[in-house]
């Protein structure tokens, strides 16, 4: 018989978000009349905007005509879209041929793990998006399971004490560094000076950075870079992964991109872009033609205006939540809210509670679903992540319930 991929047996537990959904489902089954509001998984909730929707509808209708039909496209993506991303989002500081269109950042991360294979050590922010580690475990680039994580993975604690920027000296030479900015789940948005430290460290130690910029559209502080390529030297040490999911509400449409600069090389001088092109043309058939037409519309002047309004709406939700979670009923039990205003997530510490315990309390007392911080890594214990993706009326109702929560009376 064929042996099982040992990577699956090394996974610590079920993936965080299905476990979150399972607990919600079980609670709903036992409390059928409870109106549960989700402030958990980062799924967008507002409809796609008119200009972007029209572009996809018009193209989809055209597929039903002889002159409008299209079949397979280039696996690397529509040339027009690659050019537009390079121009609009990177001000032509990167080349269109360095842009690869995909079906989303999460999928690109999995393909990047194929690109680098199992013989690579990785470093991740702690806490971090679980796919960085879990995907690497499945690929076999980690050793045996340990109590605190995985052998072959360097965890980089990002805490309030270090202003959510890690001690880079923990990273071993020749390591693949996963770095998300603004960060999921902490919402921390690192500065240009901090990212310069990261790039300089990678260049000096033979490391490659996988820079996840999926939340760049939420940055409102001019001092926070929206791309790693704002940092000198980054083209020699970084791949950037990005997405239309949070930018334009494409979580279900599925469209993203990666940037692999021509300057980036393996230790033998081989072009990383050359191998990435082979991965994309071998293991991927290209993003949906309809989705790519929507992506073009996102980057039109009207599309940019619409998507900014969409993101501002979610940031407004976050401001309401921040005010509530800074309320006296939380402060009196030591709750601390970390939120920069440059991300869709509030990172909230409940010092007297384990993450899953406070998750259960808020679900039971307020009928609100959150995301336990411990599911993102050891440094996430005692935290919850609150997501601002939701209808304004649901956010306001959730905040009303949270305002009446008396944790000092909960055993």
């Amino acid at each position: 018989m064929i042996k099982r991929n040992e990577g699956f047996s090394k996974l610590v537990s079920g993936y965080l978000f299905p476990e979150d959904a399972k607990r919600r489902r079980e609670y709903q089954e036992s409390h059928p009349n409870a109106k549960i509001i989700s402030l958990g998984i980062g799924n967008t909730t507002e409809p796609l905007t008119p200009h972007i929707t029209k572009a996809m509808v018009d193209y989809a209708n055209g597929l039903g005509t002889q002159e409008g039909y299209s079949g397979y496209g280039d696996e690397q993506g529509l040339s027009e879209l690659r050019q537009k991303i390079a121009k609009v989002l990177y001000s032509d500081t990167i080349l269109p041929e360095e842009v690869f269109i995909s079906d989303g950042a999460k999928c690109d991360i999995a393909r990047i793990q194929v690109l680098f294979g199992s013989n690579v050590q990785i470093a991740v922010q702690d806490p971090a998006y679980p796919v960085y580690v879990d995907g690497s475990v499945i690929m076999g680039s980690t050793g045996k399971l340990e109590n605190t994580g995985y052998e072959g993975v360097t965890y980089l604690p990002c805490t309030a004490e270090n202003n959510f920027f890690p001690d880079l000296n923990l990273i071993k030479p020749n390591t693949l560094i996963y770095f998300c900015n603004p960060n999921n789940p902490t919402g921390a948005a690192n500065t240009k000076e901090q990212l310069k430290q990261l790039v300089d460290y990678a260049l000096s130690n033979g490391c490659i950075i996988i820079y996840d910029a999926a939340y760049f559209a939420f940055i409102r502080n001019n001092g926070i870079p929206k791309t790693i390529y704002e940092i000198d030297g980054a083209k020699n040490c970084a791949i950037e992964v990005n997405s239309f999911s949070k930018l334009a509400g494409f979580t279900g449409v599925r469209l993203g991109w990666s940037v692999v600069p021509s300057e980036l090389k393996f230790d033998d001088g081989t072009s990383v872009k050359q191998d990435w092109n082979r991965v994309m043309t071998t293991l991927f058939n290209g993003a949906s033609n309809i989705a790519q037409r929507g992506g073009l519309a996102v980057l039109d002047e009207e599309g940019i205006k619409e998507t900014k309004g969409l993101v501002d709406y979610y940031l407004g939700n976050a401001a309401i939540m921040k005010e509530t979670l800074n309320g006296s009923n939380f402060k009196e039990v030591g709750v601390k809210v970390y939120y920069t205003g440059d991300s869709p997530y509030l990172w909230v510490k409940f010092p007297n509670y384990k993450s899953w315990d406070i998750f259960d309390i808020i679900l039971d007392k307020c009928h609100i679903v959150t995301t336990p911080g411990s599911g993102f890594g050891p440094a996430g214990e005692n935290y919850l992540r609150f997501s601002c993706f939701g209808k304004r009326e649901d956010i306001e109702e959730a905040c009303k319930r949270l305002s009446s929560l008396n944790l000092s009376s909960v055993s």
Side-chain angles (χ1 to χ4, degrees), residues 159-206:
T159 65
E161 289 70 29
N162 62 16
N163 199 26
F164 299 103
F165 186 77
D167 178 0
L168 301 178
N169 291 314
L170 296 173
I171 304 172
K172 301 170 186 175
N174 309 314
T175 289
L176 197 62
I177 306 169
Y178 289 94
F179 201 91
C180 183
N181 190 52
N183 181 265
N184 176 17
T186 68
N190 295 124
T191 65
K192 189 169 186 177
E193 292 73 23
Q194 289 172 322
L195 295 180
K196 183 67 166 65
Q197 294 176 41
L198 176 65
V199 167
D200 288 348
Y201 188 90
L203 290 171
S204 298
N205 291 275

Side-chain angles (χ1 to χ4, degrees), residues 249-272:
F250 275 30
T251 51
V253 175
R254 306 309 307 150
L255 189 67
W257 73 93
S258 58
V259 178
V260 185
S262 301
E263 294 91 330
L264 188 61
K265 310 290 184 183
F266 290 107
D267 65 347
D268 65 355
T270 303
S271 165
V272 175

Side-chain angles (χ1 to χ4, degrees), residues 29-256:
E29 289 172 353
S30 60
H31 299 78
N33 296 322
K35 182 187 176 185
I36 296 176
I37 297 174
S38 179
L39 304 179
I41 294 176
N43 194 4
T44 53
T45 53
E46 288 302 294
L48 299 180
T49 56
H51 177 73
I52 297 164
T53 302
K54 184 178 185 303
M56 289 191 284
V57 169
D58 289 349
Y59 185 78
N61 285 333
L63 291 174
T65 67
Q66 189 66 47
E67 58 275 9
Y69 176 74
S70 62
Y72 290 124
D74 293 337
E75 294 94 339
Q76 303 93 333
L78 188 68
S79 294
E80 186 181 355
L81 181 55
R82 300 172 80 188
Q83 292 167 5
K84 204 163 188 179
I85 288 173
K87 181 177 181 60
V88 175
L89 297 180
Y90 296 91
S91 301
D92 287 326
T93 58
I94 61 168
L95 301 173
E97 55 265 34
E98 296 172 328
V99 178
F100 294 79
I101 310 301
S102 73
D103 50 349
K106 184 177 181 180
C107 304
D108 269 344
I109 289 166
R111 285 185 283 263
I112 283 170
Q113 288 162 343
V114 172
L115 172 68
F116 288 97
S118 60
N119 190 28
V120 63
Q121 56 195 1
I122 71 169
V124 295
Q125 292 161 293
D126 175 21
Y129 187 41
V131 171
Y132 307 146
V133 172
D134 286 6
S136 298
V137 173
I138 292 170
M139 274 296 299
S141 59
T142 64
K144 64 181 180 180
L145 179 66
E146 296 179 337
N147 292 332
T148 57
Y150 296 100
E151 192 174 74
V153 179
T154 299
Y155 292 88
L156 308 172
C158 296
T159 65
E161 289 70 29
N162 62 16
N163 199 26
F164 299 103
F165 186 77
D167 178 0
L168 301 178
N169 291 314
L170 296 173
I171 304 172
K172 301 170 186 175
N174 309 314
T175 289
L176 197 62
I177 306 169
Y178 289 94
F179 201 91
C180 183
N181 190 52
N183 181 265
N184 176 17
T186 68
N190 295 124
T191 65
K192 189 169 186 177
E193 292 73 23
Q194 289 172 322
L195 295 180
K196 183 67 166 65
Q197 294 176 41
L198 176 65
V199 167
D200 288 348
Y201 188 90
L203 290 171
S204 298
N205 291 275
C207 300
I208 291 179
I209 302 162
I210 308 302
Y211 188 81
D212 186 343
Y215 299 97
F216 81 98
F218 286 79
I219 295 173
R220 293 294 181 266
N221 183 338
N222 291 331
I224 306 298
K226 293 191 174 182
T227 168
I228 191 64
Y229 303 118
E230 292 184 36
I231 311 301
D232 290 341
K235 290 183 180 180
N236 296 100
C237 66
I239 293 172
E240 182 163 297
V241 176
N242 216 317
S243 171
F244 286 88
S245 288
K246 307 309 190 296
L247 166 64
F250 275 30
T251 51
V253 175
R254 306 309 307 150
L255 189 67

Side-chain angles (χ1 to χ4, degrees), residues 127 347 349-350 353-357 373-375 377-383:
W347 190 235
K349 186 173 185 178
F350 294 80
Y353 300 90
K354 296 289 188 181
S355 294
W356 280 108
D357 291 342
S374 59
E381 187 61 88
N382 307 119
Y383 285 87

